[in-house]
Amino acid sequence: MTLAQVSVPASLESLSAIRAFIEEQAAAAGLDESTAFGLMLAMDEAAANVIEHGGATEHLEVRFVVDGGEVRATLVDRGTPFDPRDRPDVDVNAPVEERGAGGLGWYFIIESVHAVEYRTDSKQNELTLIVSK
Amino acid sequence: MLEIEVTNGPTASVVGVGGAVDAATAPDLLTSLEGVMGDGASQLVVDLANVEYMSSAGLRTLLGAVKQARGAGGDLRLAAPQASVKRVLDMSGFTGILKTFDTVEDALGSIG
């Protein structure tokens, strides 16, 4: 099992660094391009959410764990918890007049990785994105 | 930071974008698109040839802009999206609501 971690300020300016970290770790783990992109997109969306909607402050941690054939990328934040099961629905087939602004980030997260886990306690929230190699 | 270059032509205004359009940089794109429409243009072509990445923040910006352009009697077309941007356009269903072309020339040629 290998683990890499990065800590970044909880600001939107950190998104590019988060994407670069995921891209680098995904390549080192031997993920194919499509899976790596999906993981990077999902983590970017997740980080943007906790910063913009969760009021995350101070720092975010991003952990990348490779355990056999499974890759688990975890975002740790200290903002308001948000259970992925409460995400708004998105109808990607709706015509433009009916398309709203909300929910697309979560839609990308769920559609881009193989599984998502969420846990929260009084100190921090952890969203784990899981893909198979 | 995004690189944005606007070319106002007789058929449409072409907004060339360069860089990664994420939640941090999408506001730059919004400002630019609103500025072009505020100057009176309602036919826009967004040239994505140099956009290496776009997240939902970029898509939300495009959604708002296309609604505004169509409300003004015009439209917003996309040109030359890279593979990664095409992927998010497809996933989100945006290829069904925004006309997308391989080149700026093709996009301009489709404006009747």
Side-chain angles (χ1 to χ4, degrees):
Chain A
M1 194 192 87
T2 64
L3 182 148
Q5 178 164 308
V6 68
S7 176
V8 295
S11 78
L12 295 177
E13 284 63 43
S14 296
L15 293 178
S16 58
I18 290 172
R19 289 196 302 273
F21 172 72
I22 295 292
E23 209 168 20
E24 189 183 283
Q25 296 301 318
L31 288 182
D32 65 74
E33 204 178 303
S34 177
T35 305
F37 177 82
L39 188 57
M40 182 188 75
L41 175 66
M43 185 57 79
D44 178 275
E45 297 286 358
N49 274 350
V50 301
I51 294 164
E52 287 188 306
H53 305 298
T57 56
E58 296 170 29
H59 284 81
L60 306 176
E61 276 85 52
V62 182
R63 266 184 237 137
F64 196 98
V65 174
V66 184
D67 193 356
E70 189 174 85
V71 167
R72 302 170 62 89
T74 300
L75 175 68
V76 183
D77 80 278
R78 290 155 196 86
T80 305
F82 185 87
D83 190 321
R85 291 170 295 186
D86 295 333
R87 69 188 184 275
D89 291 327
V90 170
D91 180 0
V92 295
N93 297 309
V96 67
E97 310 78 40
E98 292 169 31
R99 292 298 296 262
L104 201 51
W106 272 114
Y107 180 82
F108 281 172
I109 291 167
I110 300 299
E111 292 295 312
S112 299
V113 297
H114 303 156
V116 170
E117 290 175 1
Y118 188 74
R119 62 180 196 181
T120 180
D121 60 28
S122 57
K123 296 199 184 73
Q124 62 191 32
N125 313 307
E126 296 186 4
L127 178 72
T128 298
L129 310 171
I130 302 164
V131 295
S132 304
K133 286 172 76 168
Chain B
M1 274 290 292
L2 291 181
E3 288 161 17
I4 299 182
E5 189 177 326
V6 179
T7 309
N8 294 308
T11 323
S13 291
V14 179
V15 180
V17 187
V21 186
D22 63 9
T25 61
D28 295 341
L29 179 58
L30 179 64
T31 299
S32 180
L33 294 174
E34 284 183 337
V36 168
M37 288 189 279
D39 288 342
S42 62
Q43 290 289 3
L44 278 71
V45 174
V46 181
D47 182 359
L48 299 171
N50 295 312
V51 173
E52 75 240 13
Y53 175 80
M54 183 175 290
S55 67
S56 66
L59 298 186
R60 277 192 293 279
T61 298
L62 293 176
L63 179 66
V66 74
K67 285 181 176 181
Q68 190 178 337
R70 289 180 185 173
D75 206 348
L76 183 151
R77 290 164 170 79
L78 302 180
Q82 294 187 23
S84 60
V85 175
K86 244 192 231 178
R87 178 167 162 174
V88 300
L89 289 170
D90 287 341
M91 271 173 60
S92 60
F94 271 44
T95 30
I97 59 179
L98 277 162
K99 301 181 188 73
T100 306
F101 300 85
D102 288 342
T103 66
V104 170
E105 290 65 38
D106 288 348
L108 290 171
S110 77
I111 301 172

